[in-house]
Amino acid sequence: MFTIGDFAQYGRVSARMLRHYDAIGLLRPARTDPDSGYRFYEAAQLARLNRIIALKDLGFSLQQVGAILDEQVSVPELRGMLRLRQAELEAALTAAGARLAQVEARLRTIESEGHMSADDVVVKRTETVLLAELSGIAASYGPEDIGPVIQPLYDELCRRLAAAGVAAAGPGLAYYEDVPEESAGSAGSAGSAGSAGSAGNTGSVGNTGSAESPGSTSNGGSDAVVVHAGMVVTPEALAKAGAKTDGGSGRSGTPTPTGLGFDVVTLPGLDCAATVVHHGPMSRILPTAQNLAHWIDANGYRSAGYARELYLECPPDQEKWITEIQEPVVRA
């Protein structure tokens, strides 16, 4: 047997904690000396102590811990409970990290006000591109809602392209549109749409506005947007893979199923786009997007829809990402 001090040392807890567990009936000592009151423990009791600490660290109250252990939960059942709680805590940590990133982005926006050079913005036409894509629905156009949607879409799209033997012929390009009015009522939190098997990215630009702000009228007042995650491909690659599309190109502006687990779309170019290059992760897009909005307003333009994101370089280190933001504009 071990004294309370030795048992506490082996269990990596304090003797005071063990006394408390004894007092509430959570972990009784194996023996208590009737004369001195000294507590003694057996090595076998470390198993119960480990379960108590694991459940407590995962957020369960001591009362809940006692109820769980008194029900004699099996090891597989306990493992399942711990994994579920672990997933909940990891999700909360991810959400907290996303909120922290948005706070940082807001601070950077405030710090960068008035420091963007006009030379940073280029007004140009963009080319029509052929995209293989997956799409999903985000609850809003905010980075906190786009973020959990677009990255899993790209991960899944790359997997399906590889499985079909279709190599990308250019960079990724993401574009957005309002959820159709008939679908707006069911577009709540992030969900899948079209060929999307799952939804999720690292972020998106905030919208700089349009004649009527995108999402404000056509979908019945819903803030939800359709997220299109695309990769540039060639008709030849699609045809070689056996894509079942009209000529292997898809209709202009309309995603068409290929039978390969993804859609294909001929995305028309933008006649007039105010473009700027963003460096770093998309979770910090806000300063770039709002500086672009200031430039658009100051130079006699207005936004004509959601910005597109052309991912020029996306190495594993997101600090080295290079993304061109393409905002469709018209003269005000």
Side-chain angles (χ1 to χ4, degrees), residues 203-227:
S204 170
V205 303
N207 183 40
T208 56
S210 64
E212 293 289 336
S213 178
S216 64
T217 57
S218 64
N219 57 2
S222 170
D223 291 331
V225 295
V226 181
V227 180

Side-chain angles (χ1 to χ4, degrees), residues 52-99:
I52 292 170
I53 300 303
L55 291 168
K56 177 174 171 287
D57 286 348
L58 286 171
F60 292 100
S61 69
L62 292 180
Q63 184 178 5
Q64 291 172 322
V65 171
I68 292 170
L69 295 180
D70 288 344
E71 290 178 2
Q72 298 182 341
V73 178
S74 68
V75 171
E77 289 173 329
L78 181 60
R79 184 183 298 114
M81 293 173 63
L82 296 180
R83 285 180 175 172
L84 177 60
R85 186 60 175 166
Q86 182 182 30
E88 292 174 348
L89 292 175
E90 288 175 347
L93 184 61
T94 299
R99 287 195 297 271

Side-chain angles (χ1 to χ4, degrees), residues 1-5 7-8 15 18-19 21-22 27-31 39-45:
M1 285 195 174
F2 304 102
T3 65
I4 189 172
F7 189 75
L18 290 176
R19 294 188 186 96
Y21 290 167
D22 180 16
L27 179 60
R28 301 286 194 187
R31 184 176 72 86
R39 298 171 175 85
F40 295 92
Y41 295 82
E42 296 176 343
Q45 292 181 281

Side-chain angles (χ1 to χ4, degrees), residues 211-261:
E212 293 289 336
S213 178
S216 64
T217 57
S218 64
N219 57 2
S222 170
D223 291 331
V225 295
V226 181
V227 180
H228 297 271
M231 296 291 295
V232 176
V233 293
T234 65
E236 293 77 15
L238 292 172
K240 184 177 180 180
K244 299 176 182 178
T245 61
D246 183 12
S249 61
R251 292 172 292 169
S252 179
T254 303
T256 303
T258 61
L260 300 174

Side-chain angles (χ1 to χ4, degrees), residues 4 23 43 48 184 264 266 295 319:
I4 189 172
R48 183 176 177 90
V264 64
T266 300
W295 185 95
E319 293 295 332

